[in-house]
Each structure stands twice: as C-alpha cells, then as structure tokens.
Amino acid sequence: MLTILFQFYFPQQAIFVREEGKLLVSGSSPIQIWKEGDFVEQSSSDIWHSICAAVKSACSLANVSGDEVSGMGFAATCSLVVVDADGSTVTVSLSGDSGRNANVWMDHRAVKQAEKINSSKSPVLQYCGGALSTEMQPPKLLWVKENLQEL
C-alpha cells in the first residue's frame, strides 16, 4: 500500500511513499501567489485545485489507482484561510479580491499585532513557546479585525 503526503509550498506537491518509507514519485502543480511587501496571499480555491492536480500527476507517474492508497498526510504551515458561514471566500486582501482569502504563513503584515499580543504576558502564551510569531493565526486575525472591519 502507498501513502500520499502533501506539502503546501510553492508549487503544491503530492508525494507517494511506500510503507517502508521509500519515496516512489512526486507530482506537483503551480499555484498563484500575490506578494506585495509584507503581504503574501493566495486563493484557497486555487490551493485545492492545485492539490488535486498534484495528486493526479503523482498517481499517473506512479501508475496507481486510489484503492492502492492506504493513507494521506499533510504538511502545512501557519496560513489563515477565511470563509463565511456558507463556505464562500472572504478576502484578507486590501485589494478587495475575495479570491485572495488565504493569508500565507510568510505574510508578515501583523507584526504590530503579534507585539501587542506578546506584550500582554497572557498565561496562554506558555502553550506556544512563550510568544506568538507574526506567522501564527492570532496576530493575523487581529490584523483582519483592526484593518478590514467591514468583514
């Protein structure tokens, strides 16, 4: 049996690994990214389509069908994807483009918000190494609250 591992980087990758851990093949698919200064955004729809394309590519290269796959694993980073109650995308971008609803891990727009949270000295911080990085979700969410209030 095979396991598929997904890596959420640029491009998206799907990697087939045999039970004993041997790499069989990898498939990849490009993904759109918008980078403007400290702002780095993606589209969750584009991410999903890229994952599907990478899996199809890996399956084709490995010459395997879905029933031969015994497990799936995901390697991801601290990105923030915003959708509404109906699952429709909600922008995290100053552009207003609702397709740009993923605030990528390397987006560093929330430096002031991370500093504000860390200066609170909240006991909750002990559960994340004593401080939050600007790459983590709470500073990103606080930035959205403070800068995209119409959401």
Side-chain angles (χ1 to χ4, degrees):
M1 296 300 275
L2 301 170
T3 300
I4 303 174
L5 302 175
F6 297 98
Q7 292 182 320
F8 297 103
Y9 299 110
F10 318 103
Q12 303 290 53
Q13 289 188 307
I15 301 168
F16 276 101
V17 180
R18 294 204 178 275
E19 283 183 23
E20 65 277 3
K22 181 182 178 198
L23 173 67
L24 183 60
V25 298
S26 70
S28 65
S29 177
I31 188 165
Q32 174 70 44
I33 187 166
W34 294 272
K35 184 171 183 355
E36 298 163 11
D38 288 337
F39 292 61
V40 187
E41 301 157 349
Q42 290 182 307
S43 161
S44 62
S45 298
D46 190 35
I47 291 169
W48 179 248
H49 292 295
S50 183
I51 289 169
C52 293
V55 169
K56 287 178 183 176
S57 172
C59 285
S60 176
L61 290 169
N63 196 28
V64 298
S65 64
D67 59 347
E68 296 176 78
V69 177
S70 63
M72 297 172 70
F74 294 87
T77 55
C78 289
S79 296
L80 174 70
V81 174
V82 182
V83 295
D84 65 16
D86 297 322
S88 298
T89 60
V90 176
T91 189
V92 294
S93 177
L94 293 176
S95 73
D97 179 353
S98 65
R100 291 165 65 166
N101 71 316
N103 183 315
V104 182
W105 67 269
M106 65 180 148
D107 182 294
H108 288 170
R109 73 181 80 181
V111 170
K112 289 179 183 174
Q113 289 76 14
E115 290 170 353
K116 180 178 179 179
I117 293 168
N118 290 332
S119 70
S120 74
K121 304 294 185 202
S122 170
V124 173
L125 294 172
Q126 71 181 334
Y127 298 105
C128 60
L132 292 181
S133 162
T134 188
E135 296 174 359
M136 295 176 170
Q137 284 80 12
K140 293 174 191 263
L141 286 167
L142 184 55
W143 184 93
V144 169
K145 179 182 178 183
E146 293 175 354
N147 294 277
L148 297 175
Q149 294 179 2
E150 66 278 7
L151 299 178

